[in-house]
Amino acid sequence: MRGMGKTLIFGHRNPDTDSICSALAYADLKARTGADVEAVRLGAVSTETQFALDAFATSVPRLVESVVGEASCVILVDHNERQQSAVDIGEVTIAEVIDHHRIANFETAGPLYYRAEPVGSTSTIVLKMYKEKGIAVAPPIAGLMLSAIISDTLLLKSPTCTPEDAAAAYELATIAGVDLHAYGMDMLRAGASVADKSITQLVSMDSKEFNMSGSKVEVAQVNAVDVDDVLSRQAELESAMRDIIGAKGLDLFLFVVTDILNSNSVAVALGPRASAFEAAFSVLLENNRAPLTGVVSRKSQIIPSLTKTFSQG
Amino acid sequence: MRGMGKTLIFGHRNPDTDSICSALAYADLKARTGADVEAVRLGAVSTETQFALDAFATSVPRLVESVVGEASCVILVDHNERQQSAVDIGEVTIAEVIDHHRIANFETAGPLYYRAEPVGSTSTIVLKMYKEKGIAVAPPIAGLMLSAIISDTLLLKSPTCTPEDAAAAYELATIAGVDLHAYGMDMLRAGASVADKSITQLVSMDSKEFNMSGSKVEVAQVNAVDVDDVLSRQAELESAMRDIIGAKGLDLFLFVVTDILNSNSVAVALGPRASAFEAAFSVLLENNRAPLTGVVSRKSQIIPSLTKTFSQG
């Protein structure tokens, strides 16, 4: 690893459970091979992530706003796109990336270790790396990685879930000493309690920005047990979305509410290119919203369709 | 793997020995795990590569100019930058990348398998993947991978050579049944016989184009036992370089002759931004050329310095 001193490991802005837990797990793995590393985070932890940290008696990683001055070398987990990373990511050396997303808006000056696999969760890749290095996973770390897989795959029900993710989840549940389905539903319900959250929290807690053929697209997603808990506040939601569209100069802001029990979603689409959403999913917006039947995955069901539509102009 | 039919596997344009041999080796590995793949090439094979193919009784892969119509899915080895790949790479799905270079000008719509490691040769990573899958390497394939490592590391002498590359080379030489150093020098000498090559061949046989902060930079490299074999033809060389600069609109064209016995290079720099080369290496061009003492690696010694200089405007 180039540069001096400690290497920071972190996931994307608005961190989800995989970003927090895979950073903690990969930091554990690196530390056990002698590296000087620290897992940190780029934003507030969600209710769901806090539930997982509490369940496995793990402290929340330290919050950092900027990485320059903290470290000359960093490791990215669960993301690679610059606009999802630390604000000054361009000023440090990215030594490694462990990820399971598309690659975009990412560039380095020199060679690096990059490990991406088209699986449901970064933690599934991290578990494979523990095995490749012949290092056993401690029970609390197994619990965190399990939580990440459950979160990213909606308890193995998302189309992004591969057989490798499912096998990893069962294996990690055994190491962590929990029942996969009972723990998983408890964790998802903890994160899906939207009634106690403000609209400001809902639009920002799991929101990612994408550059699509020059257009600025933001897609926020929240899980809910009852989507009407959220949609009953649509007027207030739209007002908050319009503020963000104005502040960031977005072309499209998509807010997706996913029903974790029935694996469907409803989307609210605003912005000058809202019609691109209609074209991408062959739906018509009514009252600025449309159902997305069977859609639960931003990464594999929403982003590719939008990317394709925007690439067609 | 998405899409139908056969998946093509190929290295970069102006393929070097690693691009040809790691494509052949990775195609062998994929085929042995049941995938329908074919290793192909995007350009003529060099004298060095032909020596390696002959040594291990392997046919040259099929030449393709375009990949659309051939396949809907491709696997890139030994490169990722779009301008180094198939002309219509943007119209197919990149299912996997196995590489050891920086990542730049690369973007996908969806998740993929991406495996990059900062080692000296793609074949070193492919050998690791054989081991991870528990598949033994057949002697001819071992010979091809060995040739790739020798080529990329100048027989383990380049600063890009890691302990992992060296260990892989010794292991592969044993499997292939050749003496590493004797075979390596024979192969490098076969590729370094520049006297029989036309200037047109020399400027194109191992040339790569890079986008550096918006500037178009091309860097060609040839190995030689005696660099004067090449430099005695400098007037003709510059004429060919100026033609290419004009045709491609390059900002800088760097032609690097590397002395394989003494591990030094001499560079000829032309183009409107030739002064960027002087700034990057703290050298002064005399008669459009300058010595680069101890420099043998385009990837780790030339491209990073140029990238940094161009990023500073």
Side-chain angles (χ1 to χ4, degrees):
Chain A
M1 203 158 295
R2 289 149 293 183
M4 298 165 298
K6 193 171 58 181
T7 295
L8 297 184
I9 303 180
F10 48 86
H12 53 75
R13 295 183 201 175
N14 301 321
D16 61 6
T17 301
D18 192 30
S19 265
I20 297 292
C21 293
S22 64
L24 287 164
Y26 196 55
D28 174 73
L29 177 60
K30 294 294 287 186
R32 290 174 68 185
T33 59
D36 184 14
V37 297
E38 180 188 0
V40 295
R41 64 187 161 93
L42 299 182
V45 298
S46 70
T47 317
E48 179 192 277
T49 305
Q50 191 61 58
F51 181 93
L53 293 169
D54 291 344
F56 299 101
T58 302
S59 302
V60 66
R62 184 165 64 90
L63 176 70
V64 301
E65 307 257 315
S66 150
V67 293
V68 169
E70 290 263 353
S72 57
C73 255
V74 302
I75 294 173
L76 310 186
V77 296
D78 196 33
H79 75 297
N80 65 85
E81 303 190 38
R82 181 172 295 224
Q83 76 284 0
Q84 296 171 3
S85 198
V87 289
D88 47 4
I89 191 68
E91 298 171 52
V92 294
T93 299
I94 300 171
E96 301 186 30
V97 178
I98 318 294
D99 192 19
H100 66 128
H101 295 89
R102 71 167 190 170
I103 298 176
N105 198 12
F106 179 81
E107 180 163 324
T108 61
L112 74 165
Y113 185 95
Y114 199 111
R115 180 81 171 254
E117 302 193 19
V119 294
S121 161
T122 306
S123 289
T124 300
I125 306 168
V126 176
L127 175 61
K128 188 184 283 191
M129 296 175 78
Y130 270 95
K131 291 180 178 183
E132 287 169 4
K133 293 187 189 300
I135 294 175
V137 183
I141 299 291
L144 297 175
M145 287 198 280
L146 170 66
S147 303
I149 297 172
I150 291 167
S151 173
D152 269 14
T153 66
L154 267 190
L155 193 34
L156 314 185
K157 286 192 299 188
S158 164
T160 60
C161 186
T162 66
E164 209 174 331
D165 297 300
Y170 280 99
E171 180 177 347
L172 290 165
T174 302
I175 299 171
V178 298
D179 178 86
L180 170 61
H181 289 276
Y183 172 74
M185 277 313 299
D186 286 349
M187 191 196 82
L188 289 179
R189 281 180 187 277
S193 54
V194 293
D196 62 342
K197 295 202 175 62
S198 71
I199 286 294
T200 307
Q201 287 175 306
L202 291 180
V203 293
S204 65
M205 58 193 245
D206 181 12
S207 195
K208 290 184 183 176
E209 190 182 320
F210 301 87
N211 183 317
M212 296 183 184
S213 302
S215 293
K216 292 181 81 170
V217 177
E218 182 149 336
V219 182
Q221 185 174 27
V222 298
N223 290 339
V225 175
D226 183 351
V227 296
D228 289 334
D229 281 353
V230 180
L231 296 176
S232 64
R233 292 189 274 169
Q234 186 173 342
E236 193 192 346
L237 174 68
E238 290 192 9
S239 169
M241 289 172 69
R242 286 187 213 282
D243 287 348
I244 293 168
I245 289 168
K248 294 190 177 178
L250 300 176
D251 297 290
L252 170 64
F253 191 165
L254 202 62
F255 182 86
V256 180
V257 189
T258 298
D259 178 336
I260 62 167
L261 299 182
N262 299 307
S263 300
N264 292 316
S265 295
V266 175
V268 175
L270 293 177
R273 296 294 305 276
S275 61
F277 165 72
E278 295 182 306
F281 295 92
S282 302
V283 293
L284 284 176
L285 289 164
E286 284 183 45
N287 182 27
N288 296 322
R289 77 192 201 206
L292 293 175
T293 307
V295 171
V296 299
S297 169
R298 174 168 51 195
K299 183 175 74 166
S300 79
Q301 297 176 297
I302 296 173
I303 300 307
S305 296
L306 284 177
T307 301
K308 192 173 171 204
T309 301
F310 276 95
S311 76
Q312 291 160 351
Chain B
M1 204 159 296
R2 290 149 291 184
M4 296 166 296
K6 193 169 58 179
T7 295
L8 297 185
I9 304 180
F10 49 87
H12 52 75
R13 296 184 201 175
N14 301 320
D16 61 6
T17 302
D18 192 29
S19 265
I20 297 291
C21 293
S22 63
L24 286 164
Y26 196 55
D28 174 74
L29 177 59
K30 294 294 288 187
R32 290 174 67 185
T33 60
D36 183 14
V37 296
E38 180 188 1
V40 295
R41 64 187 161 94
L42 300 182
V45 297
S46 71
T47 316
E48 179 192 277
T49 305
Q50 191 61 59
F51 181 93
L53 293 170
D54 292 344
F56 300 101
T58 302
S59 303
V60 66
R62 185 166 63 91
L63 176 70
V64 301
E65 307 256 319
S66 150
V67 293
V68 169
E70 290 263 354
S72 58
C73 255
V74 301
I75 294 174
L76 310 186
V77 296
D78 196 33
H79 75 296
N80 66 84
E81 302 190 38
R82 180 172 295 223
Q83 76 284 359
Q84 297 170 2
S85 197
V87 289
D88 47 4
I89 191 68
E91 298 171 51
V92 294
T93 298
I94 300 171
E96 301 186 30
V97 178
I98 317 294
D99 191 19
H100 66 128
H101 296 89
R102 71 167 190 171
I103 298 175
N105 199 13
F106 179 82
E107 181 163 323
T108 61
L112 75 165
Y113 184 95
Y114 199 110
R115 179 83 171 253
E117 302 194 18
V119 294
S121 161
T122 307
S123 289
T124 301
I125 306 168
V126 176
L127 175 62
K128 188 185 284 191
M129 295 174 79
Y130 270 96
K131 292 181 177 181
E132 287 169 3
K133 293 186 189 300
I135 293 175
V137 183
I141 299 290
L144 297 175
M145 287 198 279
L146 170 66
S147 303
I149 296 172
I150 291 167
S151 174
D152 269 14
T153 66
L154 266 191
L155 193 35
L156 316 185
K157 287 192 300 187
S158 164
T160 60
C161 186
T162 66
E164 207 174 332
D165 297 300
Y170 281 99
E171 180 176 348
L172 290 166
T174 303
I175 299 172
V178 299
D179 178 83
L180 170 61
H181 288 276
Y183 172 74
M185 276 315 297
D186 287 348
M187 190 195 83
L188 288 178
R189 280 179 189 278
S193 53
V194 293
D196 62 342
K197 294 202 174 64
S198 71
I199 286 294
T200 307
Q201 287 175 305
L202 291 180
V203 293
S204 65
M205 61 192 241
D206 182 11
S207 196
K208 289 185 184 176
E209 189 183 321
F210 301 88
N211 182 317
M212 297 185 183
S213 302
S215 292
K216 290 180 82 170
V217 177
E218 181 149 337
V219 182
Q221 185 174 26
V222 298
N223 290 340
V225 174
D226 182 351
V227 296
D228 289 333
D229 282 353
V230 180
L231 295 176
S232 64
R233 293 190 272 167
Q234 187 173 341
E236 193 193 345
L237 174 68
E238 289 192 9
S239 168
M241 288 172 69
R242 286 187 213 282
D243 287 349
I244 293 168
I245 290 168
K248 294 190 177 178
L250 299 177
D251 296 289
L252 170 63
F253 191 165
L254 203 61
F255 182 86
V256 180
V257 189
T258 297
D259 178 337
I260 62 167
L261 299 181
N262 298 306
S263 300
N264 291 316
S265 296
V266 175
V268 175
L270 292 178
R273 296 294 307 276
S275 61
F277 165 71
E278 296 182 305
F281 294 93
S282 302
V283 294
L284 285 176
L285 289 165
E286 284 182 46
N287 182 26
N288 297 322
R289 76 191 202 209
L292 293 176
T293 307
V295 171
V296 299
S297 169
R298 175 169 50 198
K299 182 175 75 167
S300 79
Q301 296 176 296
I302 296 173
I303 300 307
S305 296
L306 285 178
T307 301
K308 192 174 170 202
T309 301
F310 276 95
S311 76
Q312 292 161 351

